[in-house]
Amino acid sequence: MHNNLASRLDHIAPFHVMELMKMASTLEEQGRHLIHMGIGEPDFTAPQTVIDAAAKAMADGRLQYTSALGLPALREAIATYYLQQYGLTIPASRIIVTAGASAALLLACAALVEPGKEVLMPDPCYPCNRHFVAAFNGQAKLVASGAEDRFQLSDQMVRQNWGDNTSGVLLASPSNPTGTSISTSELKAIIASVKQRGGFTIVDEIYQGLSYDAAPFSALSLDDDVVVINSFSKYFNMTGWRLGWIVVPERIVPQIEKLAQNLFICASSVAQHAALACFTPETMAIYENRKAEFKRRRDYIVPALRALGFGIPVMPDGAFYVYADCSRFTDDADAFAKEVLTQAGVVIVPGLDFGPATANTYVRLSYANSFENLQEAVARLSQFLQSRLAYK
Protein backbone atom coordinates (compact mmCIF):
# COMPACT_ATOMS: atom_id res chain seq x y z
CA MET A 1 0.00 0.00 0.00
CA HIS A 2 1.32 3.46 -0.85
CA ASN A 3 1.82 6.13 1.81
CA ASN A 4 0.62 9.09 -0.21
CA LEU A 5 -1.76 10.65 2.29
CA ALA A 6 -4.20 13.32 1.08
CA SER A 7 -2.79 16.84 1.09
CA ARG A 8 -5.84 18.14 3.00
CA LEU A 9 -4.30 16.62 6.13
CA ASP A 10 -1.66 19.36 6.00
CA HIS A 11 -4.40 21.89 6.79
CA ILE A 12 -5.72 20.08 9.85
CA ALA A 13 -3.67 20.80 12.96
CA PRO A 14 -3.58 18.51 16.01
CA PHE A 15 -5.72 19.48 19.00
CA HIS A 16 -3.07 20.94 21.37
CA VAL A 17 -5.36 20.63 24.38
CA MET A 18 -5.11 16.84 24.05
CA GLU A 19 -1.34 17.09 24.64
CA LEU A 20 -2.10 18.85 27.92
CA MET A 21 -4.66 16.16 28.80
CA LYS A 22 -1.98 13.48 28.31
CA MET A 23 0.28 15.36 30.76
CA ALA A 24 -2.63 15.58 33.20
CA SER A 25 -3.29 11.81 32.94
CA THR A 26 0.36 11.05 33.68
CA LEU A 27 0.28 13.27 36.79
CA GLU A 28 -2.94 11.61 37.99
CA GLU A 29 -1.38 8.17 37.50
CA GLN A 30 1.40 9.37 39.80
CA GLY A 31 -1.20 10.19 42.45
CA ARG A 32 -1.60 13.95 41.91
CA HIS A 33 -5.06 15.42 42.56
CA LEU A 34 -5.99 17.73 39.70
CA ILE A 35 -8.93 20.07 39.21
CA HIS A 36 -10.13 19.95 35.63
CA MET A 37 -11.09 23.24 34.03
CA GLY A 38 -9.89 22.17 30.59
CA ILE A 39 -12.42 20.16 28.61
CA GLY A 40 -15.76 21.68 27.58
CA GLU A 41 -18.02 18.97 28.93
CA PRO A 42 -20.87 19.42 31.41
CA ASP A 43 -20.14 17.68 34.71
CA PHE A 44 -23.83 16.74 34.74
CA THR A 45 -24.75 13.63 32.75
CA ALA A 46 -28.07 12.73 31.13
CA PRO A 47 -31.00 12.84 33.58
CA GLN A 48 -32.52 9.52 34.70
CA THR A 49 -35.58 10.07 32.49
CA VAL A 50 -33.32 10.06 29.42
CA ILE A 51 -31.42 6.95 30.57
CA ASP A 52 -34.73 5.19 31.24
CA ALA A 53 -35.98 6.06 27.75
CA ALA A 54 -32.78 4.57 26.26
CA ALA A 55 -33.16 1.39 28.34
CA LYS A 56 -36.80 1.04 27.27
CA ALA A 57 -35.90 1.47 23.59
CA MET A 58 -33.28 -1.27 23.94
CA ALA A 59 -35.63 -3.58 25.86
CA ASP A 60 -38.32 -3.04 23.21
CA GLY A 61 -35.85 -3.80 20.43
CA ARG A 62 -36.25 -0.40 18.74
CA LEU A 63 -32.67 -0.43 17.52
CA GLN A 64 -33.04 -0.47 13.74
CA TYR A 65 -31.78 2.25 11.42
CA THR A 66 -33.96 5.34 11.38
CA SER A 67 -34.51 7.60 8.39
CA ALA A 68 -31.36 9.57 7.51
CA LEU A 69 -33.34 12.67 8.52
CA GLY A 70 -33.97 11.29 12.01
CA LEU A 71 -36.95 9.87 13.92
CA PRO A 72 -40.07 11.81 12.84
CA ALA A 73 -41.15 12.09 16.51
CA LEU A 74 -37.79 13.62 17.49
CA ARG A 75 -37.86 16.12 14.60
CA GLU A 76 -41.36 17.14 15.75
CA ALA A 77 -40.16 17.42 19.37
CA ILE A 78 -37.32 19.73 18.29
CA ALA A 79 -39.78 21.83 16.28
CA THR A 80 -41.99 22.14 19.38
CA TYR A 81 -38.90 23.11 21.42
CA TYR A 82 -38.24 26.02 19.02
CA LEU A 83 -41.85 27.14 19.45
CA GLN A 84 -41.79 26.93 23.25
CA GLN A 85 -38.27 28.32 23.84
CA TYR A 86 -37.97 30.87 21.04
CA GLY A 87 -41.52 31.47 19.85
CA LEU A 88 -40.46 30.27 16.39
CA THR A 89 -42.47 28.13 14.01
CA ILE A 90 -39.87 25.92 12.33
CA PRO A 91 -41.37 23.08 10.26
CA ALA A 92 -40.06 19.67 11.36
CA SER A 93 -39.28 19.04 7.67
CA ARG A 94 -36.37 21.53 7.94
CA ILE A 95 -34.84 19.77 10.98
CA ILE A 96 -32.37 16.93 10.37
CA VAL A 97 -31.09 14.84 13.29
CA THR A 98 -27.34 14.18 13.13
CA ALA A 99 -24.58 12.22 14.88
CA GLY A 100 -23.67 15.18 17.10
CA ALA A 101 -23.15 18.81 16.10
CA SER A 102 -19.89 17.64 14.49
CA ALA A 103 -21.82 15.61 11.91
CA ALA A 104 -24.16 18.59 11.41
CA LEU A 105 -21.17 20.83 10.65
CA LEU A 106 -19.69 18.20 8.33
CA LEU A 107 -22.98 17.99 6.42
CA ALA A 108 -23.23 21.80 6.21
CA CYS A 109 -19.65 22.09 4.92
CA ALA A 110 -20.10 19.18 2.50
CA ALA A 111 -23.13 20.93 1.05
CA LEU A 112 -21.88 24.52 1.01
CA VAL A 113 -18.05 24.73 0.90
CA GLU A 114 -16.52 24.84 -2.58
CA PRO A 115 -12.90 23.67 -2.95
CA GLY A 116 -10.51 26.62 -2.73
CA LYS A 117 -13.18 29.04 -1.49
CA GLU A 118 -12.80 31.04 1.72
CA VAL A 119 -15.08 30.89 4.74
CA LEU A 120 -14.78 33.76 7.24
CA MET A 121 -14.72 33.03 10.97
CA PRO A 122 -13.51 34.92 14.05
CA ASP A 123 -10.14 34.44 15.67
CA PRO A 124 -10.48 33.10 18.40
CA CYS A 125 -12.88 30.27 17.54
CA TYR A 126 -13.38 26.54 18.06
CA PRO A 127 -10.52 24.86 16.13
CA CYS A 128 -12.62 22.10 14.58
CA ASN A 129 -14.70 24.72 12.73
CA ARG A 130 -11.77 25.62 10.51
CA HIS A 131 -10.86 21.94 10.15
CA PHE A 132 -14.37 21.07 8.95
CA VAL A 133 -13.89 23.64 6.20
CA ALA A 134 -10.42 22.24 5.39
CA ALA A 135 -11.84 18.71 5.19
CA PHE A 136 -13.82 19.83 2.14
CA ASN A 137 -10.82 21.67 0.67
CA GLY A 138 -12.13 25.10 1.59
CA GLN A 139 -10.00 27.77 3.25
CA ALA A 140 -10.84 29.10 6.68
CA LYS A 141 -10.04 32.79 6.83
CA LEU A 142 -9.60 33.78 10.47
CA VAL A 143 -10.37 37.42 11.22
CA ALA A 144 -8.79 38.70 14.45
CA SER A 145 -11.56 39.86 16.78
CA GLY A 146 -10.92 41.51 20.12
CA ALA A 147 -12.87 42.32 23.24
CA GLU A 148 -14.36 45.46 21.64
CA ASP A 149 -16.27 43.12 19.27
CA ARG A 150 -16.97 40.51 21.97
CA PHE A 151 -14.43 38.23 20.19
CA GLN A 152 -17.02 37.82 17.43
CA LEU A 153 -17.18 38.85 13.79
CA SER A 154 -18.85 42.21 13.22
CA ASP A 155 -20.68 43.22 10.06
CA GLN A 156 -17.87 45.67 9.33
CA MET A 157 -15.28 42.87 9.56
CA VAL A 158 -17.32 40.69 7.21
CA ARG A 159 -17.59 43.50 4.64
CA GLN A 160 -13.89 44.41 4.93
CA ASN A 161 -12.68 40.82 4.61
CA TRP A 162 -15.09 39.61 1.95
CA GLY A 163 -13.21 38.99 -1.30
CA ASP A 164 -13.90 37.50 -4.71
CA ASN A 165 -13.01 34.10 -3.29
CA THR A 166 -15.23 34.28 -0.17
CA SER A 167 -18.27 32.03 -0.07
CA GLY A 168 -19.68 32.39 3.43
CA VAL A 169 -19.29 32.83 7.18
CA LEU A 170 -19.23 30.36 10.06
CA LEU A 171 -20.21 31.85 13.42
CA ALA A 172 -20.84 30.47 16.91
CA SER A 173 -23.10 32.24 19.40
CA PRO A 174 -22.42 31.75 22.31
CA SER A 175 -18.87 30.90 21.33
CA ASN A 176 -16.28 28.40 22.41
CA PRO A 177 -13.73 29.53 23.74
CA THR A 178 -15.10 32.91 24.81
CA GLY A 179 -18.64 32.27 26.06
CA THR A 180 -19.76 35.46 24.29
CA SER A 181 -22.73 35.94 21.98
CA ILE A 182 -23.22 38.13 18.93
CA SER A 183 -25.79 40.87 19.47
CA THR A 184 -29.05 40.45 17.55
CA SER A 185 -28.54 43.67 15.58
CA GLU A 186 -24.98 42.69 14.59
CA LEU A 187 -26.04 39.20 13.54
CA LYS A 188 -28.90 40.62 11.49
CA ALA A 189 -26.49 42.99 9.71
CA ILE A 190 -24.00 40.16 9.03
CA ILE A 191 -26.69 37.90 7.56
CA ALA A 192 -27.90 40.72 5.31
CA SER A 193 -24.36 41.54 4.10
CA VAL A 194 -23.58 37.88 3.38
CA LYS A 195 -26.88 37.39 1.56
CA GLN A 196 -26.28 40.48 -0.54
CA ARG A 197 -22.97 38.94 -1.64
CA GLY A 198 -24.56 35.60 -2.51
CA GLY A 199 -22.91 33.77 0.40
CA PHE A 200 -24.07 31.38 3.12
CA THR A 201 -24.28 31.89 6.90
CA ILE A 202 -23.81 28.94 9.26
CA VAL A 203 -24.48 29.65 12.94
CA ASP A 204 -23.40 27.15 15.58
CA GLU A 205 -25.91 27.46 18.44
CA ILE A 206 -24.87 24.47 20.52
CA TYR A 207 -24.52 26.66 23.64
CA GLN A 208 -27.67 28.68 22.96
CA GLY A 209 -29.58 26.81 25.69
CA LEU A 210 -26.93 28.03 28.15
CA SER A 211 -27.48 31.78 27.68
CA TYR A 212 -27.61 33.56 31.02
CA ASP A 213 -28.24 37.26 30.50
CA ALA A 214 -30.93 37.55 27.83
CA ALA A 215 -34.03 35.81 26.55
CA PRO A 216 -33.37 32.73 24.40
CA PHE A 217 -32.61 33.76 20.83
CA SER A 218 -31.96 31.88 17.60
CA ALA A 219 -30.59 33.18 14.29
CA LEU A 220 -33.54 31.33 12.72
CA SER A 221 -35.73 34.27 13.77
CA LEU A 222 -33.73 36.56 11.45
CA ASP A 223 -33.72 34.70 8.13
CA ASP A 224 -34.97 31.39 6.74
CA ASP A 225 -31.79 30.96 4.69
CA VAL A 226 -29.49 30.69 7.70
CA VAL A 227 -28.15 27.21 8.48
CA VAL A 228 -28.23 26.55 12.23
CA ILE A 229 -26.41 23.79 14.11
CA ASN A 230 -27.43 22.53 17.54
CA SER A 231 -26.60 19.65 19.85
CA PHE A 232 -27.82 17.44 22.68
CA SER A 233 -24.32 17.59 24.23
CA LYS A 234 -24.22 20.85 26.15
CA TYR A 235 -27.60 22.10 27.47
CA PHE A 236 -29.02 18.56 27.33
CA ASN A 237 -25.88 16.99 28.94
CA MET A 238 -25.64 14.09 26.44
CA THR A 239 -22.01 14.41 25.29
CA GLY A 240 -21.08 10.79 24.55
CA TRP A 241 -24.47 9.98 23.04
CA ARG A 242 -23.36 11.82 19.85
CA LEU A 243 -26.60 13.49 18.88
CA GLY A 244 -27.30 16.88 17.34
CA TRP A 245 -29.36 18.52 14.65
CA ILE A 246 -29.19 20.95 11.76
CA VAL A 247 -31.90 23.32 10.54
CA VAL A 248 -31.63 24.17 6.85
CA PRO A 249 -33.74 26.02 4.25
CA GLU A 250 -36.47 23.75 2.85
CA ARG A 251 -34.95 23.77 -0.64
CA ILE A 252 -31.69 22.08 0.44
CA VAL A 253 -33.23 19.37 2.66
CA PRO A 254 -33.03 16.76 -0.16
CA GLN A 255 -29.34 17.55 -0.67
CA ILE A 256 -28.53 17.25 3.03
CA GLU A 257 -30.58 14.03 3.18
CA LYS A 258 -28.59 12.58 0.27
CA LEU A 259 -25.31 13.43 2.03
CA ALA A 260 -26.53 12.06 5.37
CA GLN A 261 -27.64 8.79 3.77
CA ASN A 262 -24.23 8.31 2.21
CA LEU A 263 -21.99 9.57 5.01
CA PHE A 264 -23.82 8.38 8.14
CA ILE A 265 -26.95 6.32 7.24
CA CYS A 266 -28.47 7.77 10.41
CA ALA A 267 -27.67 8.99 13.92
CA SER A 268 -27.71 6.43 16.75
CA SER A 269 -31.27 5.13 17.08
CA VAL A 270 -30.84 4.49 20.85
CA ALA A 271 -29.71 8.09 21.38
CA GLN A 272 -32.65 9.37 19.32
CA HIS A 273 -35.24 7.41 21.33
CA ALA A 274 -33.56 8.58 24.55
CA ALA A 275 -33.58 12.22 23.40
CA LEU A 276 -37.37 12.20 23.11
CA ALA A 277 -37.37 12.24 26.94
CA CYS A 278 -35.36 15.49 26.99
CA PHE A 279 -38.42 17.55 26.12
CA THR A 280 -40.84 16.42 28.85
CA PRO A 281 -41.69 19.14 31.41
CA GLU A 282 -40.04 17.02 34.14
CA THR A 283 -36.71 16.78 32.28
CA MET A 284 -36.78 20.40 31.09
CA ALA A 285 -37.11 21.48 34.74
CA ILE A 286 -33.92 19.54 35.55
CA TYR A 287 -32.09 21.28 32.67
CA GLU A 288 -33.24 24.71 33.81
CA ASN A 289 -31.99 23.99 37.36
CA ARG A 290 -28.63 22.92 35.97
CA LYS A 291 -28.47 26.04 33.82
CA ALA A 292 -29.06 28.14 36.96
CA GLU A 293 -26.17 26.28 38.61
CA PHE A 294 -23.88 27.07 35.64
CA LYS A 295 -24.84 30.74 35.97
CA ARG A 296 -24.05 30.64 39.74
CA ARG A 297 -20.61 29.24 38.92
CA ARG A 298 -19.99 31.89 36.29
CA ASP A 299 -21.00 34.65 38.70
CA TYR A 300 -18.45 33.27 41.18
CA ILE A 301 -15.53 32.44 38.90
CA VAL A 302 -15.34 35.62 36.80
CA PRO A 303 -14.88 38.08 39.71
CA ALA A 304 -12.57 35.57 41.44
CA LEU A 305 -10.27 35.34 38.39
CA ARG A 306 -10.32 39.11 37.95
CA ALA A 307 -9.26 39.48 41.59
CA LEU A 308 -6.29 37.19 40.88
CA GLY A 309 -5.13 39.51 38.10
CA PHE A 310 -6.56 37.83 35.01
CA GLY A 311 -8.07 40.21 32.49
CA ILE A 312 -11.63 39.30 31.52
CA PRO A 313 -12.63 42.19 29.27
CA VAL A 314 -16.01 40.74 28.28
CA MET A 315 -18.39 39.03 30.68
CA PRO A 316 -19.17 35.62 29.13
CA ASP A 317 -22.95 35.52 28.67
CA GLY A 318 -23.27 31.84 27.72
CA ALA A 319 -21.69 28.37 27.53
CA PHE A 320 -19.36 27.44 30.44
CA TYR A 321 -16.09 29.12 29.50
CA VAL A 322 -14.09 32.11 30.64
CA TYR A 323 -11.55 33.45 28.16
CA ALA A 324 -8.97 35.15 30.35
CA ASP A 325 -6.08 37.43 29.44
CA CYS A 326 -2.98 36.09 31.21
CA SER A 327 -0.51 38.61 29.72
CA ARG A 328 0.05 40.12 33.17
CA PHE A 329 1.76 36.86 34.12
CA THR A 330 3.30 35.61 30.88
CA ASP A 331 3.91 36.12 27.17
CA ASP A 332 3.64 32.38 26.54
CA ALA A 333 0.19 31.08 27.47
CA ASP A 334 1.11 27.51 26.51
CA ALA A 335 4.08 27.38 28.92
CA PHE A 336 1.92 29.13 31.55
CA ALA A 337 -0.87 26.51 31.22
CA LYS A 338 1.72 23.75 31.70
CA GLU A 339 3.09 25.51 34.80
CA VAL A 340 -0.42 25.88 36.22
CA LEU A 341 -0.95 22.16 35.61
CA THR A 342 2.30 20.90 37.13
CA GLN A 343 2.61 23.39 40.00
CA ALA A 344 -0.96 24.32 40.93
CA GLY A 345 -2.68 21.09 39.87
CA VAL A 346 -5.31 22.96 37.82
CA VAL A 347 -6.01 22.04 34.20
CA ILE A 348 -6.58 25.06 31.93
CA VAL A 349 -6.20 25.45 28.16
CA PRO A 350 -3.91 27.93 26.32
CA GLY A 351 -5.20 30.10 23.47
CA LEU A 352 -3.05 28.15 21.02
CA ASP A 353 -5.89 25.98 19.69
CA PHE A 354 -8.25 28.85 19.05
CA GLY A 355 -6.27 30.89 16.52
CA PRO A 356 -3.07 32.98 16.34
CA ALA A 357 -4.54 36.32 17.53
CA THR A 358 -4.80 35.27 21.20
CA ALA A 359 -2.50 32.21 21.18
CA ASN A 360 0.09 33.64 23.56
CA THR A 361 -1.96 35.97 25.73
CA TYR A 362 -5.17 34.10 26.65
CA VAL A 363 -6.20 30.94 28.46
CA ARG A 364 -9.61 29.25 28.50
CA LEU A 365 -11.09 27.99 31.75
CA SER A 366 -14.19 25.81 31.83
CA TYR A 367 -16.50 26.12 34.84
CA ALA A 368 -18.21 22.81 34.07
CA ASN A 369 -17.04 21.55 37.45
CA SER A 370 -18.55 21.58 40.93
CA PHE A 371 -18.75 24.84 42.88
CA GLU A 372 -16.46 23.37 45.57
CA ASN A 373 -13.87 22.38 42.97
CA LEU A 374 -13.97 25.86 41.45
CA GLN A 375 -13.33 27.38 44.89
CA GLU A 376 -10.41 25.00 45.41
CA ALA A 377 -9.05 25.86 41.93
CA VAL A 378 -9.12 29.58 42.77
CA ALA A 379 -7.29 28.92 46.07
CA ARG A 380 -4.62 26.90 44.23
CA LEU A 381 -4.24 29.53 41.49
CA SER A 382 -3.94 32.26 44.11
CA GLN A 383 -1.15 30.41 45.93
CA PHE A 384 0.62 29.59 42.64
CA LEU A 385 0.50 33.19 41.37
CA GLN A 386 1.68 34.62 44.70
CA SER A 387 4.68 32.29 44.87
CA ARG A 388 5.43 32.99 41.21
CA LEU A 389 5.39 36.76 41.71
CA ALA A 390 7.50 36.41 44.88
CA TYR A 391 9.95 34.21 42.96
CA LYS A 392 10.22 36.78 40.17
Side-chain angles (χ1 to χ4, degrees), residues 221-250:
S221 64
L222 299 175
D223 197 299
D224 282 343
D225 280 338
V226 176
V227 171
V228 162
I229 309 289
N230 214 317
S231 172
F232 284 93
S233 288
K234 310 301 180 180
Y235 175 76
F236 296 101
N237 311 151
M238 291 175 71
T239 48
W241 300 69
R242 305 317 301 129
L243 198 64
W245 73 86
I246 182 171
V247 185
V248 299
E250 202 78 62

Side-chain angles (χ1 to χ4, degrees), residues 139-193:
Q139 296 177 344
K141 183 176 181 182
L142 294 180
V143 181
S145 172
E148 65 285 355
D149 289 297
R150 305 181 57 73
F151 301 109
Q152 293 279 6
L153 288 188
S154 65
D155 180 44
Q156 186 184 2
M157 280 181 216
V158 170
R159 285 186 279 116
Q160 281 173 347
N161 287 278
W162 194 280
D164 295 339
N165 204 32
T166 313
S167 61
V169 298
L170 174 47
L171 312 166
S173 183
S175 146
N176 173 9
T178 65
T180 60
S181 301
I182 308 175
S183 74
T184 310
S185 57
E186 202 65 50
L187 188 54
K188 192 172 184 177
I190 290 170
I191 292 167
S193 292

Side-chain angles (χ1 to χ4, degrees), residues 63-79:
L63 302 173
Q64 297 81 3
Y65 293 136
T66 70
S67 149
L69 298 172
L71 280 177
L74 184 55
R75 296 167 74 202
E76 288 290 350
I78 295 167

Side-chain angles (χ1 to χ4, degrees), residues 23-37 340-347 369-370 372-377 380:
M23 286 176 67
S25 291
T26 305
L27 287 172
E28 285 178 319
E29 282 161 19
Q30 293 165 3
R32 283 288 298 279
H33 175 259
L34 304 180
I35 294 176
H36 286 270
M37 297 181 75
V340 169
L341 170 63
T342 55
Q343 294 176 39
V346 179
V347 186
N369 205 327
S370 71
E372 295 68 31
N373 279 348
L374 295 182
Q375 289 175 311
E376 172 63 20
R380 289 184 185 188

Side-chain angles (χ1 to χ4, degrees), residues 45-383:
T45 55
Q48 194 60 44
T49 48
V50 175
I51 293 164
D52 291 345
K56 186 169 181 350
M58 286 191 277
D60 294 348
R62 285 180 295 164
L63 302 173
Q64 297 81 3
Y65 293 136
T66 70
S67 149
L69 298 172
L71 280 177
L74 184 55
R75 296 167 74 202
E76 288 290 350
I78 295 167
T80 304
Y81 173 73
Y82 276 110
L83 185 62
Q84 290 172 346
Q85 291 293 108
Y86 302 98
L88 291 175
T89 305
I90 307 293
S93 56
R94 289 177 54 198
I95 298 164
I96 296 152
V97 179
T98 59
S102 299
L105 275 159
L106 275 175
L107 289 168
C109 290
L112 297 169
V113 174
E114 283 281 8
K117 292 282 193 180
E118 276 179 358
V119 179
L120 304 180
M121 51 190 82
D123 176 358
C125 71
Y126 180 56
C128 300
N129 288 358
R130 60 184 188 269
H131 299 152
F132 286 129
V133 170
F136 293 98
N137 301 328
Q139 296 177 344
K141 183 176 181 182
L142 294 180
V143 181
S145 172
E148 65 285 355
D149 289 297
R150 305 181 57 73
F151 301 109
Q152 293 279 6
L153 288 188
S154 65
D155 180 44
Q156 186 184 2
M157 280 181 216
V158 170
R159 285 186 279 116
Q160 281 173 347
N161 287 278
W162 194 280
D164 295 339
N165 204 32
T166 313
S167 61
V169 298
L170 174 47
L171 312 166
S173 183
S175 146
N176 173 9
T178 65
T180 60
S181 301
I182 308 175
S183 74
T184 310
S185 57
E186 202 65 50
L187 188 54
K188 192 172 184 177
I190 290 170
I191 292 167
S193 292
V194 171
K195 206 169 184 178
Q196 194 186 340
R197 288 157 178 76
F200 61 80
T201 301
I202 301 172
V203 186
D204 169 349
E205 294 189 345
I206 71 172
Y207 295 102
Q208 191 52 243
L210 297 173
S211 292
Y212 308 116
D213 301 329
F217 168 78
S218 171
L220 293 166
S221 64
L222 299 175
D223 197 299
D224 282 343
D225 280 338
V226 176
V227 171
V228 162
I229 309 289
N230 214 317
S231 172
F232 284 93
S233 288
K234 310 301 180 180
Y235 175 76
F236 296 101
N237 311 151
M238 291 175 71
T239 48
W241 300 69
R242 305 317 301 129
L243 198 64
W245 73 86
I246 182 171
V247 185
V248 299
E250 202 78 62
R251 68 180 184 280
I252 68 166
V253 170
Q255 306 306 322
I256 299 284
E257 181 178 19
K258 176 174 71 174
L259 286 165
Q261 286 167 338
N262 281 282
L263 296 176
F264 300 103
I265 300 181
C266 68
S268 157
S269 56
V270 176
Q272 290 190 63
H273 284 292
L276 284 167
C278 290
F279 300 103
T280 65
E282 175 195 0
T283 318
M284 287 300 289
I286 294 169
Y287 289 132
E288 285 300 300
N289 284 339
R290 291 175 174 185
K291 175 183 174 176
E293 173 58 18
F294 278 131
K295 181 179 187 293
R296 182 172 86 104
R297 295 173 188 178
R298 178 203 66 169
D299 292 345
Y300 162 72
I301 200 74
V302 173
L305 291 171
R306 281 176 172 157
L308 292 178
F310 288 95
I312 302 167
V314 189
M315 179 65 147
D317 58 274
F320 31 63
Y321 305 112
V322 183
Y323 208 47
D325 184 340
C326 60
S327 57
R328 182 180 164 191
F329 311 115
T330 185
D331 56 7
D332 183 347
D334 187 36
F336 179 73
K338 285 171 181 157
E339 263 185 78
V340 169
L341 170 63
T342 55
Q343 294 176 39
V346 179
V347 186
I348 63 174
V349 177
L352 200 59
D353 277 324
F354 308 110
T358 53
N360 296 318
T361 49
Y362 274 78
V363 289
R364 188 194 74 179
L365 302 95
S366 161
Y367 51 88
N369 205 327
S370 71
F371 202 85
E372 295 68 31
N373 279 348
L374 295 182
Q375 289 175 311
E376 172 63 20
V378 167
R380 289 184 185 188
L381 285 168
S382 174
Q383 197 176 359

